[in-house]
């Protein structure tokens, strides 16, 4: 399954947030899909979007939930120095 998350360029994020989000999202998706070879990309683009390629409709809905949970819990896993 290939997952692409784009974040609007107008969104102000601290340095390292994109890589940290990709890592945490990868960890969480792997917990739900351990037998799948997941490739996760997070990048800036013109708007916010989630694409799940190679998965069923239910997979996209679950990945969307995981992304939302990950984003909302950023205070727990994203540490800035």
């Amino acid at each position: 399954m290939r997952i692409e998350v784009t974040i609007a360029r107008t969104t102000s994020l601290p340095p390292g947030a994109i890589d940290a989000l990709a890592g945490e999202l990868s960890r969480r998706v792997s917990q739900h899909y351990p037998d799948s070879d997941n490739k996760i990309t997070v990048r800036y683009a013109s708007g916010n979007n989630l694409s799940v390629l190679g998965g069923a409709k239910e997979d996209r809905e679950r990945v969307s939930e995981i992304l939302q949970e990950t984003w909302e819990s950023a205070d727990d896993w994203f540490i800035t120095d």
Side-chain angles (χ1 to χ4, degrees), residues 2-81:
R2 184 172 164 204
I3 300 167
E4 291 184 0
V5 178
T6 60
I7 299 172
R9 287 185 188 100
T10 57
T11 304
S12 178
L13 296 175
I18 296 286
D19 292 335
L21 176 60
E24 182 65 15
L25 185 58
S26 179
R27 185 185 71 77
R28 291 179 184 220
V29 168
S30 294
Q31 289 176 344
H32 293 278
Y33 299 97
D35 297 332
S36 179
D37 183 24
N38 301 313
K39 181 177 185 211
I40 298 175
T41 305
V42 179
R43 62 184 174 85
Y44 282 114
S46 60
N48 295 327
N49 191 38
L50 169 65
S51 298
V52 178
L53 307 167
K57 181 179 179 181
E58 297 81 19
D59 294 334
R60 188 200 187 287
E61 292 169 0
R62 183 63 190 132
V63 170
S64 179
E65 291 171 2
I66 294 168
L67 176 60
Q68 183 172 347
E69 292 167 1
T70 304
W71 188 263
E72 290 174 353
S73 68
D75 290 340
D76 298 335
W77 55 265
F78 183 65
I79 300 169
T80 58
D81 292 331

